[in-house]
Amino acid sequence: MKPSPDQVGPETISLVIPSKDRPDLIKAQWQAGLRDFVAEGGELIIVDHASTKQETVATLQELSRFGVKVIRAEGDFNFSHLVNLGVRASGRENVLTLNDDVQLTCKEQVLRLCAPLLDLSVGAVGSILLYENGTLQHCGVLVGGEGLATHFGRGRNPRDKVNSCLVTGLRLASAVTGAAIAFRRTDFERVGGFCERLAVELNDIDFCLRLKGLGLRIVVNTEVQLVHPELTSRGDPLTGTFAKQILRDRSSFFKYWWKILPYDACFPLAWGSSSSQIGLRFPPAIGRFE
């Protein structure tokens, strides 16, 4: 039986949001549904990465008066470290990590995203993410294919009949994006959290693959559809100091997971992998990893 959001109360969920100097985004999420989530017993943790704007300080101080927990993080940007700080400060079994630029519309989206975790065979849950023009950004991650990882179906129109299978039901995937991912804290601890060697990219994919290594399933709850402009809060990752770290992340990921990259069993080969890839294109699959 499909889990109902009524079976997952806010009091069972810790919501972790890493953020840096974007009080506008935090305010928008608060007004859209997080105020109700906290008022009904949900735990909200904002991991503040070295913000300097006075407006940010004022916003976080105001939210703390409603019981929001604010954790300060210094140093270079490391998404895995920020997530780990937030999760390890949490006090609930179900955890949802959310980018600050993901646009919520109501608290029920948080509950629905966590509902599949009632099935103990599920290790992580993602959602449908849409661009602001309504096209698909994420309905699960294809691991391998023509690159290290692909947001499968990116750029497709979810309203087209041929794409309807991508946005229907509870779908299996090899991984889901860390922009919106729910999991149990006990499973998070079993795999050691997010790998902090992967500071910018592929940390979410690595996390999901390690959960799969425990025999757990990764699913996309297509009932939850969120708008995510992507890179609003962090900018282009391929510029400045991020570029070198991204190359290190990709190299580390490839060295660890290269054996599984030729084929992703969660996606039919007939679809191909024409979406944009994370990482460099590889040689043909035949003889690739001899």
Side-chain angles (χ1 to χ4, degrees), residues 50-214:
S51 293
T52 58
K53 294 179 180 179
Q54 185 56 42
E55 183 184 357
T56 304
V57 174
T59 297
L60 296 180
Q61 287 178 343
E62 177 65 21
L63 292 180
S64 67
R65 287 195 273 271
F66 289 90
V68 176
K69 187 181 295 185
V70 178
I71 300 173
R72 178 81 172 181
E74 303 290 348
D76 295 336
F77 176 81
N78 185 319
F79 180 78
S80 295
H81 179 62
L82 300 179
V83 169
N84 289 344
L85 281 177
V87 176
R88 287 171 179 150
S90 67
R92 314 292 167 81
E93 173 61 3
N94 299 315
V95 179
L96 170 62
T97 69
L98 199 67
N99 281 13
D100 60 4
D101 57 346
V102 171
Q103 297 174 9
L104 292 170
T105 59
C106 61
K107 77 172 191 306
E108 282 72 25
Q109 291 176 318
V110 174
L111 306 185
R112 285 189 179 277
L113 195 46
C114 292
L117 294 174
L118 291 171
D119 181 343
L120 297 182
S121 73
V122 172
V125 187
S127 71
I128 296 293
L129 294 180
L130 304 171
Y131 289 109
E132 290 178 294
N133 64 4
T135 59
L136 278 174
Q137 178 187 129
H138 170 270
C139 62
V141 173
L142 184 153
V143 177
E146 296 180 358
L148 295 180
T150 302
H151 277 206
F152 191 76
R154 175 175 284 183
R156 297 178 186 266
N157 183 349
R159 292 174 292 279
D160 286 350
K161 187 175 181 180
V162 70
N163 299 322
S164 62
C165 64
L166 299 178
V167 293
T168 304
L170 198 63
R171 295 187 49 257
L172 286 175
S174 286
V176 294
T177 177
I181 180 173
F183 47 85
R184 284 180 292 274
R185 177 169 174 162
T186 50
D187 294 330
F188 173 90
E189 296 294 353
R190 287 173 70 192
V191 299
F194 275 47
C195 176
E196 297 192 12
R197 292 191 305 277
L198 303 175
V200 180
E201 280 193 351
L202 296 162
N203 35 56
D204 44 4
I205 315 304
D206 171 79
F207 177 69
C208 288
L209 293 177
R210 286 186 284 119
L211 289 173
K212 287 188 69 176
L214 298 177

